[in-house]
Amino acid sequence: MRFVRPRNLLNFELVSSGFQKSLRCRASSVYLSRQCHRGQNSGTNVGPSVHLKGSLSTRPLKLHSHLNGVRLVSTSPNLHGELVQFKLSDIGEGIAEVVVKEWYVSEGDSVAQFDSICEVQSDKASVTITSRYDGVVKKIYYEVEDTAKVGLPLVDIELEGDATASHEDNVSGETVEESSSDSSESDGEAMRVSEVTGGGRIPSTPAVKRLAMQHKINLADVQGTGKDGRILKGDVLQHIEQLKSGLPQWKRTPEELEPPPPQPPRVPSPVPTAPIPPKATQPPTIPARVPTRPVAGQDRTEPIKGLRRAMVKAMIQANAIPHFGYKDEVDVTELVALKDHFKSAAAARGIQFTLTPVFIKAASMALTFFPELNCSVDEACENMTYKAAHNIGFAMDSPQGLIVPNVKNVQALSLFEVAQEMTRLMALGVEGKLGPDDLSGGTFTLSNIGVIGGTYADPVIFPPQVAIGAIGRVQTLPRFDADGDLIKAHIMAVSWSADHRVIDGATMARFSNLWKSYLEQPATMLMDMK
């Protein structure tokens, strides 16, 4: 028999009898279609009219009298399963989006339940997403490193056969029966995947019910080992092994099939409480108001002038400088040991000696290697002037306020000469007789706040200078030596500030390290001292 393609295309589905049955059905349909057209053209009565199920044509087909034995075929309208969107579920902890790190499937791959789909990364953990369907991946919505939103599709999956997403996700314990599309060849046996007996429902998950349906197992015959008798996947697999091995099967007793009796409501037992003391009948006593006394003196307003006026102007300018801070500790144990020798030698010459002249001289020696810290900048910060002289100022607390006299040409002075000049400036400062030359021309500043108290500070640069240091008090603290032994050490804190427009942090740190080495090992100062 030669097959001719019909004018109206018919959709057929492969049924349980196999591919040969499909060919028979298609041949019968073609034959009926051809006879119908011949009858219409010739005007001959060809018998009763019939409609083919699944046909795209709505015209009736006439049958010849000799075609009464022809078998009518019931066909399915669709050859493929339902296309569902597999959405990213809420993975908890308030996570609204994740990053796709790896795909385990590609478009066109077949997947089964519990197969890994992809791995996603949230801000808290890495999670592997598994499939809830059996089917074929048709579309992937994200690339690797893309951000996926919770509740939006990850992939599209075409379900296998006539399975539907609603059938798979909504199995809730009712009896489900599945029959063949061809009633003449149906096996007539309903597969029960869950059973409701005695008013109670056998607890299990949709995946377990689907597994039981695939193996035609009644869940009422499976012994559940989960909480409250819940049937797990392992229980179904164990039941299948028992069926294969011929072992005796477990059966539910009538008592187990009956729903549990309702529990009477629990009445909470009274909790003994401590007796509540009676409320005080008398209101609390309010103390009497303290009598107002007259204020000794009156408020007064004074104009800011003199040194304070100059400090206001300098601080306004300094506020426009971006400050960079650097802090460190200095072990001055060896320097403190030499202090008594310095004091006795200076006292013999009529000079009161402190450690501040040593700090100033060490700073001058370090500035020789870092001349960019001994600079000044103009107001527009367009030019830097490298100063040849090290005019190092020291902050001084005077009756008139904060003043910063400076020792001129420290690079050319001995340690004793630095101490002698400081003694002169301090005496004039206490008397308020410092001249303009003593207060101007500074190139670098040190503030020994430690003589008053405190350890660390945030010194403010004195314009147009570019750096300043604040020295804290010397403290006796426990430290470990090179051998790991606990020793008593004299530790001094230092805080530096630099103009970050022209001085970087590395330069300030290297300068501090060199200055620190001179103080921690005073003998090294003799090698660089001029």
Side-chain angles (χ1 to χ4, degrees):
M1 179 178 180
R2 186 167 61 91
F3 296 100
V4 179
R5 183 178 184 88
R7 296 179 181 179
N8 296 323
L9 180 63
L10 301 179
N11 291 329
F12 291 89
E13 181 182 11
L14 296 178
V15 292
S16 58
S17 59
F19 184 65
Q20 295 179 355
K21 182 177 178 181
S22 298
L23 292 179
R24 273 199 317 274
C25 296
R26 184 179 293 273
S28 300
S29 301
V30 172
Y31 182 76
L32 291 174
S33 178
R34 294 180 61 189
Q35 293 299 327
C36 176
H37 291 303
R38 290 176 181 177
Q40 291 176 352
N41 295 333
S42 62
T44 306
N45 184 12
V46 292
S49 63
V50 297
H51 290 275
L52 290 180
K53 297 182 179 180
S55 174
L56 299 178
S57 174
T58 59
R59 293 183 299 175
L61 298 181
K62 299 290 185 176
L63 298 180
H64 288 282
S65 59
H66 65 277
L67 295 177
N68 293 335
V70 175
R71 180 181 179 185
L72 298 181
V73 180
S74 175
T75 61
S76 174
N78 197 357
L79 181 62
H80 303 287
E82 179 184 356
L83 186 66
V84 298
Q85 290 183 336
F86 181 77
K87 297 181 179 180
L88 177 62
S89 303
D90 186 5
I91 58 180
E93 300 186 7
I95 297 174
E97 61 183 20
V98 295
V99 177
V100 179
K101 304 302 293 185
E102 182 178 1
W103 284 104
Y104 300 121
V105 296
S106 302
E107 294 184 357
D109 290 353
S110 298
V111 294
Q113 292 189 64
F114 309 112
D115 285 352
S116 297
I117 295 291
C118 63
E119 180 181 352
V120 297
Q121 176 73 48
S122 69
D123 55 354
K124 298 181 180 179
S126 178
V127 180
T128 299
I129 305 299
T130 58
S131 174
R132 291 187 286 121
Y133 308 106
D134 296 337
V136 179
V137 177
K138 289 298 184 181
K139 180 179 179 181
I140 295 178
Y141 283 85
Y142 300 99
E143 299 292 338
V144 176
E145 299 299 333
D146 284 355
T147 299
K149 302 287 186 179
V150 171
L152 297 182
L154 278 176
V155 295
D156 286 349
I157 298 179
E158 184 181 75
L159 304 185
E160 290 185 350
D162 58 351
T164 61
S166 59
H167 169 75
E168 183 175 354
D169 296 337
N170 299 327
V171 176
S172 57
E174 294 79 2
T175 301
V176 179
E177 296 185 1
E178 185 179 88
S179 60
S180 171
S181 61
D182 189 359
S183 59
S184 64
E185 297 187 9
S186 171
D187 55 10
E189 180 181 359
M191 297 182 295
R192 304 180 58 173
V193 300
S194 181
E195 185 173 346
V196 180
T197 57
R201 179 173 296 168
I202 300 176
S204 62
T205 62
V208 173
K209 295 174 183 177
R210 180 175 177 83
L211 179 63
M213 180 186 67
Q214 293 175 350
H215 293 82
K216 300 182 180 181
I217 294 175
N218 188 351
L219 288 180
D221 298 334
V222 181
Q223 181 179 9
T225 60
K227 184 179 180 181
D228 299 329
R230 178 177 293 274
I231 298 177
L232 307 178
K233 181 179 179 181
D235 300 333
V236 178
L237 296 178
Q238 183 179 3
H239 185 79
I240 296 173
E241 294 296 329
Q242 292 177 353
L243 291 176
K244 293 180 180 180
S245 60
L247 296 177
Q249 304 300 313
W250 174 86
K251 296 292 184 181
R252 293 183 183 268
T253 62
E255 292 78 7
E256 292 176 327
L257 296 177
E258 291 295 330
Q263 298 291 334
R266 296 183 59 185
V267 178
S269 58
V271 179
T273 58
I276 301 175
K279 295 183 179 180
T281 58
Q282 297 294 334
T285 303
I286 300 176
R289 181 176 182 178
V290 177
T292 304
R293 296 180 177 87
V295 178
Q298 295 180 354
D299 298 342
R300 69 180 189 274
T301 302
E302 293 182 352
I304 299 175
K305 56 184 180 180
L307 294 177
R308 285 192 175 91
R309 184 67 179 175
M311 186 170 64
V312 169
K313 181 179 178 181
M315 292 302 102
I316 291 176
Q317 295 176 356
N319 190 47
I321 299 175
H323 284 56
F324 167 81
Y326 181 83
K327 298 175 175 60
D328 201 357
E329 286 186 350
V330 184
D331 186 350
V332 291
T333 303
E334 295 186 15
L335 185 60
V336 170
L338 295 175
K339 182 179 179 181
D340 293 336
H341 300 286
F342 289 145
K343 290 181 65 174
S344 59
R349 304 183 185 184
I351 299 298
Q352 183 181 0
F353 187 85
T354 64
L355 291 179
T356 304
V358 183
F359 301 153
I360 293 178
K361 185 61 180 179
S364 175
M365 295 172 61
L367 289 174
T368 304
F369 297 92
F370 296 93
E372 58 268 34
L373 294 176
N374 196 54
C375 285
S376 63
V377 294
D378 54 13
E379 292 185 3
C381 197
E382 295 178 351
N383 300 287
M384 290 179 61
T385 303
Y386 289 79
K387 300 294 185 177
H390 297 173
N391 299 338
I392 300 179
F394 60 95
M396 176 182 172
D397 182 28
S398 70
Q400 296 80 23
L402 177 66
I403 56 177
V404 186
N406 59 84
V407 180
K408 301 290 194 296
N409 297 319
V410 178
Q411 79 281 1
L413 301 179
S414 65
L415 188 58
F416 176 78
E417 290 173 337
V418 174
Q420 185 178 9
E421 183 64 12
M422 283 190 62
T423 302
R424 182 187 70 85
L425 294 173
M426 292 175 65
L428 294 176
V430 171
E431 298 176 0
K433 297 181 179 180
L434 287 172
D437 185 62
D438 297 326
L439 297 173
S440 62
T443 61
F444 190 86
T445 302
L446 285 178
S447 175
N448 192 357
I449 193 67
V451 297
I452 299 175
T455 53
Y456 292 99
D458 291 317
V460 180
I461 299 173
F462 192 72
Q465 302 173 20
V466 297
I468 185 175
I471 301 171
R473 75 173 186 270
V474 178
Q475 303 178 86
T476 303
L477 300 174
R479 289 294 185 268
F480 290 97
D481 61 8
D483 298 329
D485 297 329
L486 190 65
I487 60 173
K488 181 176 69 173
H490 296 275
I491 304 299
M492 181 188 71
V494 61
S495 305
W496 303 100
S497 292
D499 188 341
H500 216 350
R501 297 175 299 178
V502 293
I503 304 298
D504 57 82
T507 301
M508 193 77 252
R510 293 189 182 98
F511 168 83
S512 178
N513 291 338
L514 180 58
W515 179 80
K516 174 182 176 179
S517 66
Y518 289 145
L519 302 182
E520 291 185 340
Q521 300 174 359
T524 59
M525 294 182 63
L526 299 175
M527 301 181 64
D528 295 332
M529 189 175 296
K530 298 179 180 178

